[in-house]
């Protein structure tokens, strides 16, 4: 006997979360719940506006069709929309017991503004110190000075930087100019410095600062080849697809000697804790990029260990079936 439900939810965001120049006031998404006998599984389907190819409406229609077919005993194919495939594959993996409970709850602290705050967080951080800073939002020179200052002040710090393709080659050079060459190797990677891949590769070559692909990974013409200066890929499962597809990408990255970082697409705590489990399973040696929960004002269904935001339960969700 199979039973199913789809829930809709809306979470208020912290004031001031801006994505691709759009203010994100609420994070809206869906959960799917699958039950078979005494086994059950949950999955999150929350396309990220401005990043996902599919809208929430398209995701909901595809999720409904798949879920009802599954309830009726079929083995429907995944719909092929990344956020939907991701959520369904998580629910199925929980149901089948193939998503281990063990999770990697380390998260590289994400700093979008004041470096003083990051300073305090890093001072209190045990073990490997790795943090991620958004760059490209202000002057490139300022970004370079902040990176340099942090690397100088905290000798065991490794930085991940993310420019989201904000820089022209000139701006990228202005950034690099302010980072002391002896610290450059402690920039674990700089995600997508320039608008084109060719410019980003040239930047890595010219500055010795390693880069990582994030957006590029999801472009149709992306190829898995080793390129000088590329050190990592950032894999966002909600934008990628099923757990099986995520696993293939991790394997492709590792085969090229690249670091694979499982990263958030600003999922709720349910999706984020599942990403922490996926990271523990596929990338146990790499701190995942999952420090986005505090951009929200509440958690849903499953709390992230140690997080103090209130956790809303099933009653806060709107059943759609
Ligand atoms: O990768 C991380 O450490 C956190 C996730 C993160 O930085 C992002 C998630 C989703 C959208 C973006 O604003 C941003 C990114 O650009 O990678
Ligand atoms: Mg990025």
């Amino acid at each position: 006997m199979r039973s199913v439900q789809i829930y809709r939810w809306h979470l208020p965001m912290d004031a001031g979360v801006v994505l691709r120049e759009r203010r994100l006031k609420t994070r809206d998404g869906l959960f799917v719940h699958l039950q078979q006998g005494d086994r059950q599984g949950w999955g999150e389907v929350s396309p990220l506006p401005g990043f996902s190819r599919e809208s929430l409406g398209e995701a909901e229609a595809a999720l409904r069709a798949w879920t009802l077919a599954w309830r009726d005993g079929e083995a429907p194919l995944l719909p092929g929309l990344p956020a939907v495939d991701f959520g369904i594959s998580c629910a199925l993996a929980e149901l089948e017991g193939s998503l281990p409970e063990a999770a990697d709850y380390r998260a590289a602290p994400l700093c979008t503004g004041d470096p003083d705050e990051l300073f305090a967080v890093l001072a209190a951080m045990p073990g490997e110190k790795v943090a991620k800073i958004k760059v490209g939002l202000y002057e490139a020179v300022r970004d370079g000075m902040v990176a340099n200052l942090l690397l100088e002040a905290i000798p065991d710090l490794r930085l991940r930087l993310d420019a989201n393709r904000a820089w022209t080659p000139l701006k990228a050079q202005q950034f690099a100019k302010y980072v002391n060459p002896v610290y450059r190797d402690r920039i674990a990677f700089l995600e997508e410095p320039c608008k084109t891949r060719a410019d980003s590769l040239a930047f890595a070559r010219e500055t010795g600062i390693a880069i990582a692909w994030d957006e590029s990974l999801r472009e149709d013409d992306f190829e898995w080849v080793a390129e000088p200066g590329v050190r990592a890929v950032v894999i966002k499962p909600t934008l990628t697809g099923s757990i099986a597809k995520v696993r293939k990408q991790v394997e492709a990255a590792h085969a090229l000697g690249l670091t694979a970082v499982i990263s958030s697409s600003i999922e709720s705590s349910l999706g984020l804790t599942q990403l922490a489990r996926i990271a523990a399973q596929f990338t146990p040696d790499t701190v995942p990029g999952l420090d986005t929960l505090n951009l929200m004002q509440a958690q849903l269904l499953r709390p992230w260990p140690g997080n103090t935001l209130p956790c809303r339960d099933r009653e806060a969700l709107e059943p759609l079936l």
Side-chain angles (χ1 to χ4, degrees):
M1 233 323 251
R2 289 175 171 179
S3 60
V4 296
Q5 185 53 277
I6 295 174
Y7 296 95
R8 183 159 42 208
W9 48 266
H10 309 279
L11 277 174
M13 298 295 287
D14 215 27
V17 176
V18 176
L19 286 181
R20 301 241 161 108
E21 281 136 44
R22 273 202 261 174
R23 172 116 187 263
L24 189 68
K25 286 198 187 135
T26 60
R27 187 73 173 100
D28 307 312
L30 304 164
F31 290 153
V32 58
H33 182 235
L34 306 178
Q35 204 156 355
Q36 180 160 18
D38 59 358
R39 304 200 65 101
Q40 54 158 335
W42 286 88
E44 171 164 343
V45 174
S46 47
L48 184 61
F51 288 77
S52 289
R53 291 183 185 184
E54 68 275 34
S55 68
L56 187 59
E58 287 162 348
E60 185 186 319
L63 181 62
R64 268 177 193 268
W66 186 94
T67 303
L68 295 177
W70 185 85
R71 181 198 60 192
D72 295 342
E74 296 171 32
L77 290 177
L78 292 177
L81 303 181
V84 186
D85 290 6
F86 171 64
I88 292 173
S89 70
C90 284
L92 285 173
E94 286 197 350
L95 184 99
E96 290 157 4
S98 59
L99 181 59
E101 290 293 333
D104 192 344
Y105 292 119
R106 297 173 301 165
L110 182 64
C111 171
T112 48
D114 184 358
D116 284 346
E117 270 173 40
L118 180 62
F119 228 86
V121 173
L122 288 170
M125 196 172 169
E128 193 187 350
K129 288 193 202 301
V130 50
K132 172 160 168 174
I133 307 183
K134 291 269 161 204
V135 293
L137 300 170
Y138 309 99
E139 281 304 303
V141 171
R142 177 189 184 273
D143 289 332
M145 285 157 90
V146 167
N148 198 62
L149 188 91
L150 285 166
L151 289 166
E152 191 173 52
I154 309 172
D156 54 345
L157 173 67
R158 280 167 62 77
L159 278 182
R160 297 173 179 176
L161 304 172
D162 186 359
N164 283 318
R165 300 184 164 175
W167 288 330
T168 58
L170 180 66
K171 285 224 164 122
Q173 285 297 341
Q174 285 172 345
F175 161 83
K177 210 173 118 191
Y178 281 86
V179 183
N180 187 334
V182 296
Y183 300 150
R184 288 185 189 179
D185 202 42
R186 282 166 48 219
I187 296 180
F189 52 76
L190 167 52
E191 286 176 43
E192 306 268 355
C194 300
K195 291 191 174 52
T196 69
R197 269 183 254 159
D199 283 347
S200 291
L201 287 168
F203 167 83
R205 240 187 352 257
E206 287 156 15
T207 62
I209 295 174
I211 60 167
W213 300 133
D214 175 7
E215 288 86 344
S216 295
L217 209 56
R218 297 179 294 274
E219 287 179 333
D220 293 334
D221 62 349
F222 182 79
E223 286 175 41
W224 288 95
V225 287
E227 285 162 309
V230 180
R231 191 177 282 162
V233 292
V234 176
I235 300 175
K236 292 183 163 75
T238 284
L239 308 183
T240 304
S242 66
I243 296 180
K245 186 164 179 192
V246 168
R247 171 180 223 140
K248 275 203 189 120
Q249 293 203 347
V250 170
E251 285 169 358
H254 287 171
L256 293 174
L258 300 174
T259 301
V261 183
I262 298 293
S263 156
S264 143
S265 309
I266 320 195
E267 292 82 357
S268 77
S269 61
L270 179 92
L272 275 183
T273 52
Q274 290 177 324
L275 289 172
R277 290 157 67 191
I278 290 169
Q281 199 181 2
F282 298 156
T283 61
D285 300 329
T286 303
V287 178
L290 300 178
D291 187 30
T292 54
L293 190 52
N294 289 316
L295 301 176
M296 297 172 168
Q297 292 184 17
Q299 313 192 66
L300 284 178
L301 295 191
R302 287 184 197 155
W304 181 278
N307 191 287
T308 53
L309 288 174
C311 189
R312 298 181 182 171
D313 59 19
R314 217 192 270 210
E315 276 64 60
L317 311 173
E318 178 194 352
L320 296 186
L321 300 178

mmCIF file of all heavy atoms in Angstrom, residues 132 134 162 164 191-192 214-215 234 236, ligand 2:
data_model
loop_
_atom_site.group_PDB
_atom_site.id
_atom_site.type_symbol
_atom_site.label_atom_id
_atom_site.label_comp_id
_atom_site.label_asym_id
_atom_site.label_seq_id
_atom_site.Cartn_x
_atom_site.Cartn_y
_atom_site.Cartn_z
ATOM 1 N N LYS A 132 33.631 31.239 3.376
ATOM 2 C CA LYS A 132 33.309 31.679 2.014
ATOM 3 C C LYS A 132 32.861 33.135 2.033
ATOM 4 O O LYS A 132 32.004 33.511 2.830
ATOM 5 C CB LYS A 132 32.208 30.792 1.444
ATOM 6 C CG LYS A 132 31.666 31.294 0.115
ATOM 7 C CD LYS A 132 30.959 30.226 -0.662
ATOM 8 C CE LYS A 132 30.186 30.832 -1.818
ATOM 9 N NZ LYS A 132 29.591 29.838 -2.694
ATOM 10 N N LYS A 134 31.427 36.348 -0.360
ATOM 11 C CA LYS A 134 30.914 36.869 -1.628
ATOM 12 C C LYS A 134 31.751 38.065 -2.025
ATOM 13 O O LYS A 134 31.931 38.988 -1.214
ATOM 14 C CB LYS A 134 29.473 37.341 -1.442
ATOM 15 C CG LYS A 134 28.517 36.220 -1.207
ATOM 16 C CD LYS A 134 27.980 35.757 -2.531
ATOM 17 C CE LYS A 134 27.412 34.370 -2.344
ATOM 18 N NZ LYS A 134 27.344 33.574 -3.504
ATOM 19 N N ASP A 162 33.520 33.896 -3.941
ATOM 20 C CA ASP A 162 32.541 33.669 -5.001
ATOM 21 C C ASP A 162 32.195 34.999 -5.650
ATOM 22 O O ASP A 162 31.601 35.864 -5.026
ATOM 23 C CB ASP A 162 31.276 33.039 -4.396
ATOM 24 C CG ASP A 162 30.278 32.636 -5.469
ATOM 25 O OD1 ASP A 162 30.556 32.867 -6.662
ATOM 26 O OD2 ASP A 162 29.220 32.089 -5.112
ATOM 27 N N ASN A 164 30.526 35.136 -8.670
ATOM 28 C CA ASN A 164 29.318 34.997 -9.504
ATOM 29 C C ASN A 164 29.432 35.737 -10.839
ATOM 30 O O ASN A 164 28.487 36.381 -11.287
ATOM 31 C CB ASN A 164 28.077 35.511 -8.746
ATOM 32 C CG ASN A 164 27.605 34.512 -7.717
ATOM 33 O OD1 ASN A 164 27.567 33.319 -7.971
ATOM 34 N ND2 ASN A 164 27.257 34.996 -6.539
ATOM 35 N N GLU A 191 35.211 31.268 -7.031
ATOM 36 C CA GLU A 191 34.179 30.792 -7.965
ATOM 37 C C GLU A 191 33.897 31.818 -9.044
ATOM 38 O O GLU A 191 33.603 32.973 -8.720
ATOM 39 C CB GLU A 191 32.852 30.560 -7.220
ATOM 40 C CG GLU A 191 32.804 29.344 -6.362
ATOM 41 C CD GLU A 191 31.471 29.266 -5.601
ATOM 42 O OE1 GLU A 191 30.402 29.534 -6.181
ATOM 43 O OE2 GLU A 191 31.525 28.927 -4.407
ATOM 44 N N GLU A 192 33.966 31.382 -10.280
ATOM 45 C CA GLU A 192 33.477 32.146 -11.440
ATOM 46 C C GLU A 192 33.835 33.629 -11.375
ATOM 47 O O GLU A 192 32.955 34.486 -11.288
ATOM 48 C CB GLU A 192 31.945 31.992 -11.538
ATOM 49 C CG GLU A 192 31.464 30.553 -11.572
ATOM 50 C CD GLU A 192 31.313 29.993 -12.980
ATOM 51 O OE1 GLU A 192 31.490 30.742 -13.962
ATOM 52 O OE2 GLU A 192 31.014 28.787 -13.099
ATOM 53 N N ASP A 214 30.922 26.983 -10.952
ATOM 54 C CA ASP A 214 29.606 26.813 -10.318
ATOM 55 C C ASP A 214 28.566 26.910 -11.442
ATOM 56 O O ASP A 214 28.133 25.891 -11.991
ATOM 57 C CB ASP A 214 29.419 27.899 -9.239
ATOM 58 C CG ASP A 214 28.044 27.911 -8.594
ATOM 59 O OD1 ASP A 214 27.245 27.008 -8.871
ATOM 60 O OD2 ASP A 214 27.740 28.830 -7.802
ATOM 61 N N GLU A 215 28.234 28.128 -11.874
ATOM 62 C CA GLU A 215 27.282 28.314 -12.972
ATOM 63 C C GLU A 215 27.674 27.506 -14.217
ATOM 64 O O GLU A 215 26.818 26.905 -14.882
ATOM 65 C CB GLU A 215 27.199 29.798 -13.366
ATOM 66 C CG GLU A 215 26.477 30.698 -12.369
ATOM 67 C CD GLU A 215 27.375 31.219 -11.251
ATOM 68 O OE1 GLU A 215 28.474 30.665 -11.043
ATOM 69 O OE2 GLU A 215 26.963 32.176 -10.569
ATOM 70 N N VAL A 234 31.501 23.397 -7.782
ATOM 71 C CA VAL A 234 30.488 23.585 -6.750
ATOM 72 C C VAL A 234 29.202 22.965 -7.276
ATOM 73 O O VAL A 234 28.675 23.414 -8.298
ATOM 74 C CB VAL A 234 30.301 25.088 -6.467
ATOM 75 C CG1 VAL A 234 29.182 25.313 -5.472
ATOM 76 C CG2 VAL A 234 31.609 25.678 -5.951
ATOM 77 N N LYS A 236 25.360 22.138 -6.873
ATOM 78 C CA LYS A 236 24.128 22.489 -6.164
ATOM 79 C C LYS A 236 23.049 21.500 -6.602
ATOM 80 O O LYS A 236 22.451 21.655 -7.683
ATOM 81 C CB LYS A 236 23.718 23.912 -6.525
ATOM 82 C CG LYS A 236 24.656 25.008 -6.008
ATOM 83 C CD LYS A 236 24.085 26.368 -6.374
ATOM 84 C CE LYS A 236 24.687 27.497 -5.571
ATOM 85 N NZ LYS A 236 26.033 27.857 -5.980
HETATM 86 MG MG1 LIG B 2 28.368 30.665 -6.741
#
